[in-house]
Amino acid sequence: MLSLEILLHSVVTGLMNGAVYALVAMGLTLIFGVLHIINFAHGSLLMVAMYGVFFAVTLLGIDPYVTIPFMMVLMYFAGYGLQRYVIGNAGQGRDTNILLITLGAAVVMDNLALYLWTGDTRQLQLDYMMAVVDLGFALIPVTRIIAFVAACALFVAMWLVIERTDFGRAMRAVAKEPFGARVVGIDVDRVYAQTMGIGTACLGAAAALLLPIFYVNPQIGNVFVLLAFTIVVLGSMGNIVGALVGGLLVGLVESVGGFFLGDRLGQVGIFVIFILILTFRPQGLFSARV
């Protein structure tokens, strides 16, 4: 007989995981919404950020959550530089070139990580990782609660930046009509680079929130980028709110699917939804909008 308490625990855990998945997807959908490119290096950049957090904790003794602002700044400049000096110059505005560049960057980062750190799986060992909060119907790890709250706060902050700032208005202008934006004096290339930087900065925060919950190895980016692409398609490419809703839904399906089918088959439902969305509503559940 199925336990209602265990099912409720799966639902809560799925929603909390989904918020962090959505944070990874937010960077991807933001980049697509403004630059109109699919960044295949997104998962590899997340992997690099996770290693950065891991070594900051193990070598420097810094708490992973304290690394969030520092990792966001570092990843911002990594994304900015990738767009400004690599994609922008070598891509020449051609989609095929850009896809190959981001795919090549992913291959280089994955193999460099494998060479430097081997294929071993690494996890953090922190005193508070076993701490839980009793919600009455479920015991939820403190690390998942922190990740959920921080991810939601970052979503609100990103929404405010896009909707309430001059830079956000410039981003939306460039996303809709780059030529017109250039005519009225907006530095389109700089906005592209800044958007790539912000999208990559999201990975810095996601890495710090994920590492106390998950593990890191050179292939971990592939796991999360598949989820991110599913979320982006589900929530409509370029839609920030859609990414949040899609992330929560994917996390819920993964957790509840694991409850009924077991951990190994828990993600089957995600890809079933992905196929159904592509078949019956390829534009996603929401209208595309940065």
Side-chain angles (χ1 to χ4, degrees):
M1 183 175 179
L2 297 177
S3 169
L4 179 60
E5 286 190 0
I6 297 177
L7 178 59
L8 289 175
H9 181 275
S10 297
V11 170
V12 174
T13 299
L15 291 174
M16 290 186 173
N17 287 346
V20 187
Y21 296 163
L23 185 59
V24 177
M26 180 173 68
L28 191 64
T29 200
L30 181 65
I31 291 167
F32 178 84
V34 177
L35 279 72
H36 305 295
I37 65 173
I38 298 175
N39 181 17
F40 282 112
H42 201 70
S44 298
L45 288 166
L46 174 63
M47 176 269 296
V48 170
M50 290 179 76
Y51 270 111
V53 175
F54 178 83
F55 289 120
V57 174
T58 56
L59 299 181
L60 302 178
I62 303 174
D63 187 273
Y65 301 119
V66 175
T67 68
I68 290 177
F70 303 103
M71 288 306 304
M72 290 185 71
V73 171
L74 289 174
M75 295 307 294
Y76 171 86
F77 285 111
Y80 185 97
L82 179 64
Q83 169 61 33
R84 189 80 170 188
Y85 304 111
V86 180
I87 296 175
N89 291 332
Q92 299 178 349
R94 298 177 60 183
D95 291 342
T96 304
N97 290 355
I98 294 171
L99 290 177
L100 291 175
I101 291 168
T102 58
L103 183 60
V107 171
V108 169
M109 284 186 281
D110 290 350
N111 283 278
L112 186 60
L114 186 62
Y115 174 77
L116 293 174
W117 304 309
T118 73
D120 295 342
T121 294
R122 308 182 191 217
Q123 288 182 293
L124 293 178
Q125 300 295 328
L126 303 169
D127 294 337
Y128 56 78
M129 286 179 64
M130 300 303 294
V132 297
V133 174
D134 188 353
L135 299 182
F137 57 87
L139 297 175
I140 305 299
V142 169
T143 51
R144 295 185 185 275
I145 294 175
I146 293 173
F148 177 79
V149 172
C152 290
L154 287 168
F155 260 95
V156 172
M158 181 60 66
W159 183 84
L160 290 173
V161 167
I162 292 173
E163 296 292 334
R164 298 288 186 266
T165 67
D166 290 339
F167 175 69
R169 285 185 279 272
M171 286 175 61
R172 285 182 278 143
V174 170
K176 291 180 180 179
E177 183 51 66
F179 178 77
R182 199 183 299 273
V183 168
V184 298
I186 296 174
D187 187 340
V188 174
D189 294 333
R190 184 177 181 182
V191 171
Y192 281 159
Q194 290 174 326
T195 302
M196 178 69 84
I198 293 173
T200 309
C202 294
L203 299 179
L209 298 176
L210 283 170
L211 208 52
I213 303 171
F214 292 93
Y215 57 87
V216 61
N217 63 35
Q219 300 302 317
I220 191 66
N222 297 331
V223 175
F224 287 106
V225 80
L226 286 175
L227 291 174
F229 274 116
T230 303
I231 292 167
V232 168
V233 171
L234 181 63
S236 299
M237 300 185 77
N239 191 305
I240 298 295
V241 176
L244 177 58
V245 175
L248 294 174
L249 181 59
V250 164
L252 183 62
V253 170
E254 178 188 44
S255 184
V256 175
F259 172 74
F260 286 105
L261 303 176
D263 291 338
R264 293 184 179 274
L265 297 176
Q267 290 191 345
V268 168
I270 296 174
F271 298 106
V272 170
I273 290 177
F274 184 66
I275 293 171
L276 291 175
I277 289 293
L278 288 178
T279 303
F280 297 106
R281 192 175 173 82
Q283 72 273 28
L285 298 178
F286 303 87
S287 59
R289 181 176 183 271
V290 173

